[in-house]
């Protein structure tokens, strides 16, 4: 069988799979799940980059979306690093809206994941309110652009360091998507 179904996964270290004890990621686990469920070959392109904010992802999204013409589905998981800075809410909204708009222009279906609640992590503690605010923005964008929204909730017990997911967490995220 040759690969003929593709998904673009855009995001930060949560997409990349940072700290997964087996070097896996939710895109790798999603490929496996889709193949098992459909009996077709699937490949989920992992365009997760550690430390990326929505601004970084916006800057690199067009060439990724354009060069993967066979991929008709895009999963966007973004915002964790934005909360750390914090990126102003209007800029976050513009960045995400622009990424979604690019994908829609290319005829791709978008799935937006909400930002998971973080466990105990000193670098992110002071800006936890931004997760709630950014998630409201993601919900609004999803409605405005008629995309799918997937809420990633109650996953804190699957984190390895309060931010990143263990392999069980990446499997759970893949199942949710």
């Amino acid at each position: 069988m040759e690969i003929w179904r593709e998904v673009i996964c855009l995001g930060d270290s949560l997409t990349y799979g940072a700290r997964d004890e087996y070097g896996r990621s939710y895109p790798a686990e999603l490929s496996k799940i889709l193949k098992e469920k459909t009996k077709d070959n699937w490949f989920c392109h992992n365009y997760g980059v550690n430390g990326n904010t929505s601004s970084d992802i916006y800057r690199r999204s067009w060439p990724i979306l354009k060069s993967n013409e066979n991929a008709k589905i895009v999963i966007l998981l973004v915002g964790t690093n934005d909360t750390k800075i914090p990126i102003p809410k209007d800029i976050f909204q513009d960045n995400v809206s622009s990424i979604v708009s690019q994908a829609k222009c290319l005829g791709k279906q978008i799935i937006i994941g909400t930002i998971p609640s973080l466990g105990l992590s000193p670098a992110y503690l002071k800006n936890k309110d931004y997760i709630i605010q950014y998630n409201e923005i993601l919900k609004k964008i999803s409605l405005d652009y008629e995309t799918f929204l997937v809420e990633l909730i109650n996953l804190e017990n699957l984190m390895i360091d309060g931010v990143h997911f263990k392999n069980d967490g990446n499997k759970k995220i893949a199942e949710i998507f």
Side-chain angles (χ1 to χ4, degrees):
M1 292 165 106
E2 73 181 65
I3 295 172
W4 64 278
R5 298 194 185 268
E6 300 177 49
V7 177
I8 297 169
C9 300
L10 280 173
D12 52 29
S13 58
L14 299 185
T15 299
Y16 178 78
R19 311 249 185 348
D20 182 297
E21 65 269 36
Y22 306 117
R24 303 275 293 174
S25 61
Y26 90 76
E29 301 301 342
L30 183 57
S31 293
K32 181 180 175 190
I33 289 169
L34 289 170
K35 183 174 183 171
E36 289 170 356
K37 288 190 180 275
T38 67
K39 307 299 184 224
D40 288 330
N41 284 316
W42 285 81
F43 183 73
C44 297
H45 297 274
N46 187 335
Y47 288 106
V49 176
N50 295 339
N52 266 195
T53 64
S54 62
S55 297
D56 299 315
I57 296 166
Y58 172 46
R59 278 195 300 274
R60 64 186 178 85
S61 61
W62 179 257
I64 291 168
L65 296 168
K66 185 83 171 140
S67 66
N68 289 283
E69 62 187 43
N70 292 329
K72 302 300 180 205
I73 300 169
V74 177
I75 297 175
L76 180 61
L77 180 54
V78 62
T80 303
N81 294 312
D82 293 65
T83 68
K84 188 176 179 182
I85 292 175
I87 297 286
K89 293 177 285 190
D90 63 320
I91 292 175
F92 177 76
Q93 181 169 346
D94 186 61
N95 288 339
V96 175
S97 294
S98 295
I99 296 165
V100 170
S101 180
Q102 290 173 359
K104 294 282 251 179
C105 283
L106 294 169
K108 299 181 186 310
Q109 184 58 249
I110 314 297
I111 303 169
I112 299 172
T114 60
I115 306 166
S117 293
L118 302 178
L120 183 61
S121 180
Y124 294 88
L125 278 179
K126 66 179 182 173
N127 295 321
K128 281 189 141 188
D129 288 342
Y130 274 87
I131 293 173
I132 296 165
Q133 294 168 19
Y134 289 169
N135 280 339
E136 288 303 315
I137 291 168
L138 294 173
K139 289 174 187 175
K140 181 181 180 333
I141 291 169
S142 178
L143 288 172
D144 290 349
Y145 285 87
E146 298 178 349
T147 68
F148 294 102
L149 181 79
V150 173
E151 296 198 53
L152 301 173
I153 56 174
N154 301 321
L155 300 173
E156 298 85 358
N157 63 327
L158 300 172
M159 292 178 170
I160 198 161
D161 60 2
V163 178
H164 302 96
F165 291 96
K166 302 182 274 189
N167 185 255
D168 286 346
N170 284 318
K171 286 180 179 177
K172 184 65 176 175
I173 291 170
E175 289 171 13
I176 294 168
F177 278 124

